[in-house]
Amino acid sequence: MSRMVERLPSWFSVDADDLDAKQKPTHADVELQIAYAYNVIRTIEPNSNEAEAVLGWLARNRERLKLNNRLFTSGDAGRGQEPRRLTGPISITRWKRLKVTLRARVKRRQAKPASELTIGLTAVTGALGLGGLDAALFHLIYRYRLDNHFERLLDGLAEAQGRNSVLRRYPDLFALLIGGNASEINLRFRADAPLIDSGALRVDEDGDIQVSSRLVVLIEACAANDTDVRAELLGRPRKASLDWASFRHLGEAIEIARRVLIKAVAGGERGVHVLFYGPPGTGKTECAASLADSLGLKLHVIGENGPSGREPSRGDRLSDLLLAQRLAGDSGDTLYLFDEAEDLFRPRAYDREPDPKIFVHRLLETAKVPIIWAANDIEAFSPAVLRRMTQCIEVRLPPQSRRAELWQDLAEAENVELDAATALRLAR
């Protein structure tokens, strides 16, 4: 969290007092779009297809952007949508006048206190260690998803270049809008680059870009109040309902796991993972909770619930896992649990989301917080993944006598009378 974040360009600030910019753009939102348009205009020639797209967009949005009507001709609103023979050429003189006007708007932009949304975006990008170009790209992509007006500008420029009007990995187009270098921007979308490796963005096999749904929720939470990003992502620690002795039937293997995990947490060792596998109902999740409790550690379950309470997709769960490690910090008192882990590795037909193995193999080697993985089916894991596990433990059903003892322990905890014969019958 203490990592220094590069300062963004002075004009670059996503600033909207309400989160529904699609319906009510704020002054700062308008000025940001002016800045994006200015970056495009100062780079391209007036006889280009991109010039047709950006001038048409400015003309159609002149009232919202508070631009003087004298900057435009009657045919400008159709540029980028009608054949160029109908709209006529753009004169160099008018192009220069438009450029000067937009540059003056950018320079006149007055500094003002950060808005709620700015605070939310800054909190999240700062917590992820995204600064400079990475932060500028994230802001641009987030704005595309949030604001229909900006979406139309980017889509129009994409179509002017003969591309699909979707948010894809278009480094040269992004460079036009934020004033960056296309080659450098292209590197920011590699699997091992912070924007992707952190789970903030996902790029599928076609190059389509998605913002982590979890981050959208985090940004909204941080915009609404003074929220700790890590606490908001991880939620409350999982509490154990059984004591550690309940799992003594797992023998020496579980005792080794205890020693491995406490040493890893105390020494800051990276890449420590324990896989619990076995059929449903054997208590893998509860074993993990009791294990953490016996070590005095907090156990956070990762990827259990999707944003807004919906069922998480595999992409959501992968993003949560990457984000949790990125935001891990140096607490030294935490374990993560990733339940139903085979869901992340089992191949799926027609799945356009990123291949999780690309990310998970690296995560298994570099994770700052030890992870307990729980799965019903060990066959879902490739040999390459199993080799990267520190330890694999089969969680078996306790013997009948021990199950009877657990029934009696639970009955006592709930103040219910339960004789030994009934407990044994229940255990069967």
Side-chain angles (χ1 to χ4, degrees):
M1 299 289 188
S2 61
R3 179 174 175 175
M4 294 295 292
V5 179
E6 300 170 65
R7 186 178 298 277
L8 290 175
S10 59
W11 61 265
F12 192 89
S13 175
V14 179
D15 186 2
D17 292 326
D18 64 302
L19 292 177
D20 194 3
K22 292 185 177 181
Q23 296 181 9
K24 193 178 79 171
T26 65
H27 169 75
D29 179 63
V30 165
E31 294 305 310
L32 176 63
Q33 292 181 23
I34 289 287
Y36 281 136
Y38 170 66
N39 274 337
V40 176
I41 285 176
R42 69 177 182 171
T43 306
I44 61 178
E45 296 298 325
N47 61 350
S48 64
N49 290 334
E50 292 88 344
E52 292 284 316
V54 71
L55 181 54
W57 180 83
L58 288 169
R60 289 187 292 275
N61 290 276
R62 71 183 82 176
E63 183 176 342
R64 187 179 61 86
L65 298 173
K66 297 180 175 60
L67 293 172
N68 196 311
N69 283 331
R70 287 179 294 180
L71 291 169
F72 306 101
T73 66
S74 59
D76 283 344
R79 294 186 187 276
Q81 297 179 344
E82 299 176 358
R84 293 181 65 172
R85 58 182 171 78
L86 299 179
T87 57
I90 304 170
S91 72
I92 295 177
T93 301
R94 200 155 67 89
W95 190 250
K96 287 181 178 178
R97 186 165 68 248
L98 185 61
K99 189 186 302 184
V100 168
T101 300
L102 296 188
R103 182 172 64 230
R105 282 280 294 272
V106 171
K107 287 187 175 181
R108 281 202 314 267
R109 190 173 184 219
Q110 297 179 349
K112 66 176 186 176
S115 72
E116 291 177 351
L117 183 55
T118 299
I119 292 170
L121 281 161
T122 302
V124 170
T125 54
L128 292 174
L130 301 176
L133 183 56
D134 287 322
L137 285 167
F138 182 79
H139 280 246
L140 180 146
I141 290 165
Y142 184 86
R143 177 59 56 191
Y144 179 93
R145 295 299 185 195
L146 184 73
D147 193 323
N148 280 338
H149 296 293
F150 179 60
E151 178 184 359
R152 293 189 191 105
L153 171 60
L154 197 150
D155 286 351
L157 289 168
E159 290 172 359
Q161 296 177 342
R163 292 165 159 168
N164 293 327
S165 56
V166 294
L167 186 62
R168 283 192 174 167
R169 182 175 170 167
Y170 296 148
D172 52 340
L173 183 51
F174 297 156
L176 269 181
L177 289 158
I178 64 175
N181 177 275
S183 297
E184 187 176 354
I185 287 173
N186 190 48
L187 295 176
R188 304 303 171 110
F189 289 95
R190 286 174 41 169
D192 58 351
L195 271 174
I196 309 300
D197 188 55
S198 66
L201 301 178
R202 299 199 303 271
V203 182
D204 68 19
E205 61 183 16
D206 292 330
D208 292 356
I209 300 172
Q210 297 291 334
V211 179
S212 163
S213 300
R214 184 73 65 188
L215 276 195
V216 173
V217 174
L218 283 176
I219 290 167
E220 292 177 359
C222 292
N225 52 64
D226 186 16
T227 301
D228 180 86
V229 177
R230 183 171 181 269
E232 187 72 21
L233 172 69
L234 298 180
R236 295 187 178 185
R238 173 70 179 259
K239 300 295 184 182
S241 58
L242 294 175
D243 59 26
W244 178 240
S246 302
F247 298 95
R248 62 174 182 257
H249 63 282
L250 297 178
E252 181 64 16
I254 201 68
E255 293 298 330
I256 292 173
R258 290 182 79 247
R259 294 195 293 270
V260 165
L261 290 171
I262 195 62
K263 183 178 178 181
V265 171
E269 186 177 348
R270 296 193 173 216
V272 174
H273 306 270
V274 175
L275 172 63
F276 288 168
Y277 68 95
T282 53
K284 296 181 290 295
T285 301
E286 192 57 46
C287 180
S290 296
L291 174 56
D293 186 65
S294 74
L295 297 173
L297 301 175
K298 300 174 185 174
L299 182 73
H300 290 283
V301 183
I302 307 300
E304 185 175 40
N305 298 310
S308 304
R310 62 176 172 76
E311 182 73 17
S313 68
R314 180 161 74 168
D316 289 333
R317 300 192 78 205
L318 175 60
S319 288
D320 284 0
L321 185 59
L322 298 174
L323 286 168
Q325 285 293 341
R326 187 79 175 184
L327 298 173
D330 302 310
S331 58
D333 63 350
T334 303
L335 297 176
Y336 290 158
L337 170 65
F338 196 85
D339 210 348
E340 299 182 12
E342 63 267 52
D343 177 61
L344 203 60
F345 297 92
R346 187 172 283 126
R348 297 180 183 181
Y350 311 112
D351 193 347
R352 296 176 66 243
E353 292 185 330
D355 185 350
K357 294 190 291 294
I358 297 173
F359 300 94
V360 174
H361 286 181
R362 185 166 56 253
L363 176 66
L364 290 172
E365 296 166 356
T366 63
K368 291 185 284 186
V369 176
I371 301 176
I372 298 174
W373 305 76
N376 298 330
D377 181 14
I378 196 173
E379 297 298 325
F381 298 88
S382 69
V385 169
L386 295 177
R387 283 196 303 270
R388 289 171 168 85
M389 293 289 173
T390 310
Q391 189 181 9
C392 299
I393 299 175
E394 183 180 7
V395 180
R396 307 178 302 278
L397 196 66
Q400 184 177 330
S401 59
R402 179 56 186 148
R403 297 200 300 276
E405 292 175 5
L406 290 174
W407 271 109
Q408 290 186 306
D409 290 344
L410 289 170
E412 183 179 351
E414 297 294 334
N415 295 316
V416 175
E417 291 187 8
L418 184 67
D419 59 77
T422 303
L424 190 62
R425 187 166 64 253
L426 288 170
R428 285 197 294 269

